[in-house]
Each structure stands twice: as C-alpha cells, then as structure tokens.
Amino acid sequence: MEVRQVDAKQGWQWIVTGFGLFRRIPLVWIVLCFTLLLIAATLALIPMAGQFIFTLLSPVFLAGLMIGCKTLEQGGDLEISHLLAGFRSNPAPLITIGGIYLVGQVLILGIFMLVGGDVLMDLLIEGKRVDENELKDVSGHMLSASLVGLALSIPLLMAAWFAPLLVIFKGLPPVEAMRQSFFACLKNIIAFQIYAVILVVLTILATIPYGLGLFVLIPTVFASIYTSYKDIFEEGAETA
C-alpha cells in the first residue's frame, strides 16, 4: 500500500475540503456530533469505567463517521445511523485499536506521574495543599512532566489518527493499521503541523461567539480526517 507525501499546503486544504462536506448537509452533521458528545457525556457519568469505555469505542464511532463521509462524497445521504455503522462492520479490530490507545494513555499517565514526583501525585490525586516552596518545586516538575507527556502523546495520536480508516477501508489488522498511520503522519509531518496550527487558531475563533463556532468546527474536523486520509492513501486522489 502506497503512502503519498503531499504538499505542505494540503494541511489547509484538508480543512477546506472537510468544510465542503459539512456544508452539503450541516444539520445532520451537527446532530451527529451532538449525539456523539451526548454519548461521551453519558458514559462520563460512570466513575472511571465510563471514560475507559468511551476510549475503547471511539474508533468504532469514528469509523462510522468516516463511512458516512465516503457515502456523502459519493453522492449518497449522510444519516444519523452512520454513527453506528462501525458496529455493523466487524467492530473487533476497531475496539482493539481503542484498547491499544487506552493502554498507551495509561502508560503515559503513569510516566507523567513518575516524572512529576510524589508531591505532584498528592496534589492531583488527593488535592493536597502545598506551601509556597513546594509550589515552586511542583511547578518545575509539572512542566517537565507535561513536556514528557506531550512528547509521548503525539506519536500515540499519530498511530491512531488513520488507523480506524485503514481497518474499514483497507482491511488492515489493528497493529498494522496503527503502524501505517504513524508512518503516514511522519511522512507528512509538515502538512500536519500546518493543519494543527490552523485548527488551534480556528478553535480560538470558534469559542469567541459563545462557542457557537464549534457547531461548525467539530464536524469540519471529523470530515477533514477523511479528506486527509483520502489525500494520503487513495491513489490518484486530490483534495486541492
């Protein structure tokens, strides 16, 4: 399977093309994303286990949205039922991706706490009060731990970014899909850096009018995942 290296400007084009998919049927997109957020919020009510469950199932939900993107692009209708489409097409590999990602998150959290030290652990877990001298020490450890956590989280995110799409569209097994996803992101790191910077700016702008812009931005981001996948993995695809 060929992994294309695209121009840096494609980082912006993925967002533009993703917005084009959103603009075709905005109301359904908004309902889909609101439903997904509602599912996440409902699971969050379950102490500890709820977040773990949602992380496990996230690739399945994402796969459903990506199937919806492909259907919409090909002239079909995007439907609310697409949110569950991943459950109807061999969800086990997708849940496996979620499990690997969850284990990665737990390991990164453990390293974060280890680098942060005992005082930081007491502060975050037990809410322990610290004096001024301890606060300076905690701040230094917090910065170091955050940098280590970020450095480890980015490769994990790269491995998970395209993995659900490679499972449902290319039939790859979970580990191979994550490997291909990581190297695809690495090969197009400049485009992804531009993509990330633009998303940060758009997120700030979207939150200014009472967060109303997020109703447009969140569906656009989901659609842009599909457009970036197609640009990098589909032979002859162009999103310019």
Side-chain angles (χ1 to χ4, degrees), residues 8-28:
K9 65 180 178 64
Q10 292 301 106
W12 163 247
Q13 191 62 45
W14 297 335
I15 298 172
V16 173
T17 310
F19 176 72
L21 288 176
F22 163 76
R23 194 173 55 181
R24 292 188 189 184
I25 185 166
L27 182 59
V28 175

Side-chain angles (χ1 to χ4, degrees), residues 1-4 170 229-238:
M1 180 178 59
E2 182 182 359
V3 177
R4 300 176 64 230
K170 299 293 186 181
Y229 159 81
K230 186 179 176 184
D231 198 21
I232 292 172
F233 288 98
E234 294 292 337
E235 185 177 356
E238 293 291 343

Side-chain angles (χ1 to χ4, degrees), residues 44-219:
L45 297 176
I46 305 174
M48 294 296 293
Q51 185 175 354
F52 291 159
I53 293 171
F54 185 73
T55 300
L56 284 172
L57 297 180
S58 291
V60 189
F61 290 124
L62 179 61
L65 290 174
M66 298 303 100
I67 293 172
C69 285
K70 186 172 184 177
T71 301
L72 183 61
E73 183 191 44
Q74 294 176 343
D77 294 327
L78 179 66
E79 301 174 350
I80 305 301
S81 61
H82 275 120
L83 190 60
L84 302 178
F87 290 94
R88 299 192 293 268
S89 57
N90 194 15
L94 298 169
I95 295 175
T96 301
I97 292 172
I100 296 173
Y101 188 79
L102 177 60
V103 170
Q105 283 187 319
V106 172
L107 291 175
I108 291 171
L109 178 61
I111 295 172
F112 174 87
M113 302 299 285
L114 184 63
V115 174
D118 294 337
V119 177
L120 179 59
M121 292 179 65
D122 292 340
L123 178 64
L124 295 179
I125 297 176
E126 302 177 6
K128 179 182 177 181
R129 293 180 177 273
V130 295
D131 58 34
E132 185 176 345
N133 291 329
E134 288 179 318
L135 183 60
K136 293 180 180 178
D137 184 55
V138 168
S139 298
H141 283 87
M142 174 71 84
L143 178 60
S144 299
S146 298
L147 291 175
V148 171
L150 181 62
L152 295 175
S153 296
I154 291 176
L156 180 63
L157 181 60
M158 291 166 63
W161 190 258
F162 291 122
L165 294 90
L166 291 171
V167 166
I168 58 173
F169 295 142
K170 299 293 186 181
L172 295 185
V175 174
E176 177 62 16
M178 297 187 78
R179 189 185 74 84
Q180 291 282 355
S181 175
F182 174 80
F183 284 109
C185 292
L186 188 64
K187 190 172 183 178
N188 293 279
I189 192 66
I190 304 300
F192 272 104
Q193 286 177 334
I194 293 175
Y195 175 80
V197 169
I198 293 173
L199 282 186
V200 169
V201 174
L202 290 178
T203 300
I204 295 172
L205 295 176
T207 57
I208 292 176
Y210 306 101
L212 296 178
L214 294 175
F215 285 100
V216 175
L217 182 60
I218 292 175

